Amino acid sequence: MTYQSEITKWQSGTLVALRFLVGWHLLYEGIYKLIHPEWSSIAFLAEAKWIFSGLAEKIIGNAGLLGTVDALNTWGLILIGTGLVLGLLTRPAAIAGTLLLMLYYLFNPPFIGMNSLVPMEGNYLVVNKTLIEAVVLLLIAVSPAAIRYGLDMLIKKKSSNS
Amino acid sequence: MAADKEKNSAPENSGSEEQSKGLGRRSMLKTLAGVPVLGLFGFQVLRKINHDKQHNRKMEIINELGLDDLAGSVKQVKPVSGDLIRLGIVGWGVRGPQLAKALGFMPKEQYEKIMKTGTPDEKAQLESLQKDGNLNVAITGVCDVYDAHAEKGLEIAGSDIFTGGEIARKHPVKRYNSYQEMFADPDIDAVIITTPDHHHADMTIEAVKAGKHVYCEKGPVHREDEIEPLYKAVMESGVVYQLGHQIPQNAVFQQAREIFNRGLMGKISQIDTTTNRNTPSGAWIRHKYNNGDLKPGDAKSIDWKQWLGKAPDVPFSIRRYYSWARYFDYDTGLYGQLFSHEYDAINQLLNIGIPELVSATGGQYTYDEFGQIPDVLHTSFEYPGKGYTLTYSANLTSSKSRPRTIYGMDASMTIGGEMTLTPDRNSKQYADLLDKGLVNPSDPMLHIRKGADLDSAVDAVSSATNQYYADRGLISTSIKGRVWDIAHLHLREWLDVIRNGGQTSANIDKAYEEAVTIAMADISYREKCRTAWDAEEKKIIRI
């Protein structure tokens, strides 16, 4: 077995499927927040620990700022999710998604001694699903194969044709 | 396998044949691969929204209970109309400044501090007040026996949040050395009485005789023999009287009343009311700061004789001055201070009126250094004619919260800052719903929160005593998405009735019922006897 720069269709297909799945997830997270106007990031922020707990408190304490954060979060998720599903501006969307998910992770990391009061569906030590999803998006961002099967190809063609 | 391989490189390097032909069909399909995924996503989202609509347990229950119009029972905030009302406030210790704030009068620094560091709930209250809370009043009279408090009053009265002090420049604020002087002044239209309880009846009587409308803090009287003269004076005067119980203005209460009126609880046989606090300040030990230093004030700066009024003559005491609620000479303690709110809450909901029999037990087991009030107190108020008992269980040495609960044969209700309605497992009315599993006895079938957008507000309340008041529904309410200080709404109602006629929520009839009920309990505890109410003779009988 030798290493080569070529990858199989199965591999590139799986990468694209991964892009659809993460995109679908983030898009629905955004849409959910949009159609439930009572949703607010306040419950998440109130649970914030570690380096961002002070910032979270500031956001909670300022109604205007909280509204902005909620709106940015909702629309950020929708735009990133749509970008990933359609393959439109895939790389910027994947990078933005990685950063957003890392932010979620850092606001509430499952480190030793930082127990969450909110019951979770699994058990985590340092690594949780948010971190994994962030790294998946990073993988998508750095894999040209993941960018196939998307509207980006159209843009590329157009720009190369003109 | 070789055919399956493709280059892990930028997309433009693949499919060179297609490139030469422009965009081929295969390439186009690849380009649009995300579109069907997005279509499937959209389809699933629409299915989900539709499913949630059809299987919304909350809506199903609300429809089953016939409560889809419940929000209509909430009294809307009325616009202000009518001439300027000139107010005089007697008592500028704690409650006076709070009520002035509810009217929109506070020092600029206080306003700025709340906007900067206040809780979301406090800020939202101030925003509502500033936008739509100008009640067209001026505080033109300030009266307090303590110079420092009177000076604070002058500063507050001169600083409103609507015009930046323009009101005070047009209508200058005057300090009166006695309440008699203030009530005699024709330049005062209405008065707010926020003094210790032993002055409430005399001041109210004098004010209404001078034709002033009265907003008086609870309890309406201190002693039994003040009740009839107060009632008579207010009834004869024709002025507008409002007792300082803001609970009826709480939107949650108005909805709870509707639920009860529609018979959704079944027969009620027991009502539990409670007090649960665990701080010296909560036990009204208030003559020292937290660091142990005595609060200011002495015989020179406080007109002690006037403060005592008709209470027994004793030398000046800083303890008595600040911690007066602990002394039976000036107050009925837990009954006047806190049970009064509990009673009013239940009376506003169920119209319970005056009990037939009352018995009280308890004692001063912890805070026994001075004053007489008990720190554990149990009182039973019997209504055999109506078929229920109201209990009041108070504890000043544990803050373990026990909700205000009304027990019905079909459902029980807890009511405070929020309301829950939980079906009884043996309910006949809800047998079908229980069988279907739509409701269950371990979960509330209805939960009315103060305002979903401010769920966190109560968590951020600053002090233990504040938390107590918030839990009991006494701080703020949410109406049409706006948060209001409910004391503001209570004052607003009073001023509206003064200008436009009608009835106040906590009018003299309600005050009368409360005064008799408190007096019966107070006598039962202090004189260690049961008390009964002779409704014909209008007299409390010791048994």
Side-chain angles (χ1 to χ4, degrees), chain B residues 113-145:
Chain B
K113 195 178 162 204
I114 296 173
M115 290 318 266
K116 223 173 172 182
T117 61
T119 63
D121 192 63
E122 286 170 330
K123 284 183 199 167
Q125 287 176 43
L126 260 198
E127 277 162 19
S128 296
L129 188 64
Q130 195 159 32
K131 269 190 199 146
D132 204 17
N134 188 342
L135 301 179
N136 195 19
V137 295
I139 302 175
T140 55
V142 164
C143 180
D144 199 288
V145 295

Side-chain angles (χ1 to χ4, degrees), chain B residues 129-405:
Chain B
L129 188 64
Q130 195 159 32
K131 269 190 199 146
D132 204 17
N134 188 342
L135 301 179
N136 195 19
V137 295
I139 302 175
T140 55
V142 164
C143 180
D144 199 288
V145 295
Y146 179 22
D147 292 336
H149 286 175
E151 278 154 24
K152 182 169 72 176
L154 289 171
E155 187 199 350
I156 292 170
S159 179
D160 67 278
I161 64 169
F162 311 112
T163 63
E166 189 62 28
I167 294 174
R169 278 190 286 280
K170 274 193 197 153
H171 309 278
V173 193
K174 184 176 166 189
R175 180 183 174 185
Y176 298 86
N177 289 321
S178 72
Y179 70 87
Q180 291 92 341
E181 213 181 291
M182 180 195 270
F183 296 171
D185 190 338
D187 287 340
I188 298 277
D189 303 313
V191 296
I192 295 176
I193 299 167
T194 65
T195 62
D197 292 23
H198 67 292
H199 288 294
H200 287 179
D202 288 351
M203 284 188 183
T204 306
I205 291 169
E206 189 146 344
V208 302
K209 282 188 175 160
K212 313 292 185 207
H213 304 287
V214 173
Y215 181 105
C216 182
E217 271 303 313
K218 41 73 192 179
V221 305
H222 176 224
R223 286 283 175 257
E224 173 189 9
D225 57 8
E226 295 169 335
I227 301 172
E228 292 299 331
L230 171 76
Y231 185 74
K232 209 169 147 236
V234 174
M235 288 305 280
E236 283 170 0
S237 69
V239 304
V240 179
Y241 175 88
Q242 175 92 297
L243 185 62
H245 283 307
Q246 57 274 38
I247 271 182
Q249 312 301 336
N250 191 323
V252 173
F253 263 76
Q254 292 161 18
Q255 293 174 81
R257 183 157 46 201
E258 193 60 27
I259 285 167
F260 168 75
N261 288 344
R262 294 190 189 184
L264 295 179
M265 299 181 67
K267 186 192 178 313
I268 287 164
S269 57
Q270 191 182 331
I271 304 151
D272 288 351
T273 63
T274 68
T275 287
N276 318 280
R277 308 214 290 201
N278 188 15
T279 60
S281 168
W284 298 283
I285 296 172
R286 293 180 177 177
H287 58 287
K288 286 180 180 173
Y289 291 112
N290 285 343
N291 64 8
D293 291 350
L294 277 182
K295 285 188 182 168
D298 51 33
K300 267 191 202 159
S301 54
I302 294 171
D303 183 343
W304 186 240
K305 208 166 171 264
Q306 206 188 153
W307 187 88
L308 283 174
K310 65 183 177 191
D313 193 14
V314 291
F316 175 79
S317 154
I318 199 79
R319 275 181 176 175
R320 284 175 182 261
Y321 178 71
Y322 282 106
S323 307
W324 52 270
R326 296 189 56 76
Y327 295 86
F328 287 144
D329 281 347
Y330 321 115
D331 197 13
T332 52
L334 277 157
Y335 292 129
Q337 293 294 312
L338 298 179
F339 170 70
S340 54
H341 279 310
E342 299 300 305
Y343 173 82
D344 179 65
I346 300 300
N347 201 22
Q348 295 283 350
L349 276 181
L350 314 181
N351 282 319
I352 57 175
I354 299 169
E356 293 177 45
L357 285 162
V358 177
S359 58
T361 59
Q364 198 180 59
Y365 304 138
T366 304
Y367 295 114
D368 52 3
E369 207 183 320
F370 66 93
Q372 298 89 34
I373 64 158
D375 35 56
V376 177
L377 179 66
H378 289 98
T379 315
S380 179
F381 303 81
E382 314 278 349
Y383 294 80
K386 293 177 173 165
Y388 49 68
T389 293
L390 165 75
T391 65
Y392 175 58
S393 172
N395 191 321
L396 295 178
T397 55
S398 166
S399 58
K400 167 79 180 153
S401 172
R402 293 170 293 170
R404 191 187 286 138
T405 311

Side-chain angles (χ1 to χ4, degrees), chain B residues 71 74-77 120-121 124-125 127-128 131 251 255 449-454 477-484:
Chain B
V74 175
K75 208 163 68 175
Q76 297 307 312
V77 180
D121 192 63
Q125 287 176 43
E127 277 162 19
S128 296
K131 269 190 199 146
Q255 293 174 81
R449 291 187 175 84
K450 198 182 82 183
D453 51 332
L454 279 150
T477 191
S478 179
I479 297 171
K480 284 206 166 165
R482 293 275 289 280
V483 178
W484 292 94

Side-chain angles (χ1 to χ4, degrees), chain A residues 5 7 9 12 61 148-150, chain B residues 4 6 8 30-31 34 123:
Chain A
S5 64
I7 62 165
K9 279 190 175 168
S12 68
R148 293 166 170 224
Y149 298 90
Chain B
D4 281 348
E6 47 188 9
N8 185 17
K30 274 188 184 179
T31 306
K123 284 183 199 167

Side-chain angles (χ1 to χ4, degrees), chain A residues 56-75:
Chain A
E57 247 171 65
K58 258 192 204 147
I59 298 171
I60 293 173
N62 183 329
L65 191 58
L66 182 68
T68 312
V69 166
D70 283 351
L72 278 177
N73 197 11
T74 303
W75 285 104

Side-chain angles (χ1 to χ4, degrees), chain A residues 90-109:
Chain A
T90 314
R91 188 161 285 150
I95 291 169
T98 307
L99 294 176
L100 188 63
L101 288 167
M102 279 312 291
L103 209 57
Y104 294 159
Y105 174 78
L106 292 174
F107 262 87
N108 213 335

